[in-house]
Amino acid sequence: MNPSLLVGFLTLSAVLSAIPGPSVLLETGRAITLGRRSAMWIVLGNAMGGLVLLALVLAGLGAIVAASAKLFMAVKVLGACYLFWLGVNALRSARAGSVNEPPAAADVLGRTSWARSVRQGFLVGVANPKSIVSLTAVLPQFVDHPRGNPVLQMLVIGLTGGVVQAFIETICVCAAGSMRTWFLGGRRRIRVLKAGGGVAMIAFASRLALESP
C-alpha cells in the first residue's frame, strides 16, 4: 500500500460522508424519532450495502453498469423508486401526526425491528448506482500499480474507506440522538422534521431519476 494514496482516499471518503445524503438523512431522522439504537442498525445495513457495491466493483460489474446505459438506467430507476417510497411514507407519517412511522415502514419495537432497520439501511446503501460508478472511476486512481496486486489494494482501500464512512455516520447519529428530547418535546417539531425528511428523500429520488448517466 502507498500510505499517501491511502490517506488521500480516506480524506475524500470523509468529505463525501460528511455531505448529507439519503443514508445520513435516514439515519439522523431515525435517531431523532426512535433513538440511536434503531439508527445504528441502519448504519450497519448501509455498511453492508457498501460492501456489496465494493464487491461489484472488484468483480468488474461496476464498469459494466457504468458502460451500459440501459442497465445503468434500470438500476437508477429502481433506486429512485425506493427513495421515493421512503419519502412518501415519511410524509404520510407527518400528516398522521404520530411520533412513530406507519407500521409498514416503522422500526417498531419488537423482534423484527432490528432486521427491518438493517434492511432499510442496506437498500438505501445500494440504491444509488452513482456510488458504483464513483467507486469504478475513483478507487482505481488510488492504486499504486508498481506495488502489484491492484485488486487487493482496492479491497483494502475500499474497506478502510467504509470504516471511515461508518464512523462519520455514527457521529451524525449520536449528534441527532442528543436532539431527540427537544424534538419530542413538541408534536409540531417532530411533524415538521418528518415532513422535511420526506420532501428531501423525494428530492433525492427525483434528482437520481433525472440525472444523466
Side-chain angles (χ1 to χ4, degrees):
M1 299 297 302
N2 188 320
S4 61
L5 291 178
L6 178 59
V7 171
F9 183 81
L10 295 183
T11 302
L12 178 62
S13 297
V15 171
L16 294 178
S17 300
I19 300 174
S23 297
V24 173
L25 184 64
L26 180 63
E27 292 158 359
T28 53
R30 188 62 56 84
I32 293 174
T33 55
L34 294 170
R36 295 172 180 168
R37 177 179 297 182
S38 177
M40 286 306 300
W41 285 119
I42 297 180
V43 173
L44 175 61
N46 189 61
M48 294 169 61
L51 290 177
V52 171
L53 294 184
L54 179 60
L56 290 175
V57 171
L58 294 179
L61 297 181
I64 296 177
V65 172
S68 174
K70 291 183 179 180
L71 181 58
F72 180 85
M73 179 62 68
V75 176
K76 186 170 66 170
V77 169
L78 288 175
C81 287
Y82 183 68
L83 292 177
F84 184 83
W85 180 81
L86 287 177
V88 170
N89 272 286
L91 289 177
R92 289 174 55 195
S93 177
R95 184 178 180 183
S98 59
V99 174
N100 291 328
E101 298 176 29
D107 185 15
V108 292
L109 298 177
R111 295 181 179 180
T112 61
S113 62
W114 66 270
R116 185 169 303 182
S117 294
V118 170
R119 184 174 69 250
Q120 285 187 336
F122 177 83
L123 291 175
V124 170
V126 298
N128 192 349
K130 287 290 186 180
S131 298
I132 299 179
V133 177
S134 297
L135 285 173
T136 304
V138 175
L139 187 57
Q141 299 181 29
F142 291 86
V143 172
D144 190 352
H145 291 279
R147 294 176 182 260
N149 207 333
V151 174
L152 180 59
Q153 288 190 53
M154 287 193 293
L155 175 62
V156 174
I157 295 174
L159 289 177
T160 308
V163 171
V164 171
Q165 178 180 348
F167 177 72
I168 292 179
E169 290 177 0
T170 300
I171 294 177
C172 293
V173 165
C174 291
S178 64
M179 302 171 62
R180 173 175 165 81
T181 302
W182 184 83
F183 273 101
L184 295 183
R187 184 175 295 273
R188 180 178 175 82
R189 297 171 186 170
I190 202 69
R191 291 182 65 181
V192 170
L193 172 70
K194 299 179 88 171
V199 171
M201 279 288 185
I202 292 174
F204 275 121
S206 301
R207 178 181 176 183
L208 177 61
L210 296 176
E211 277 184 338
S212 300

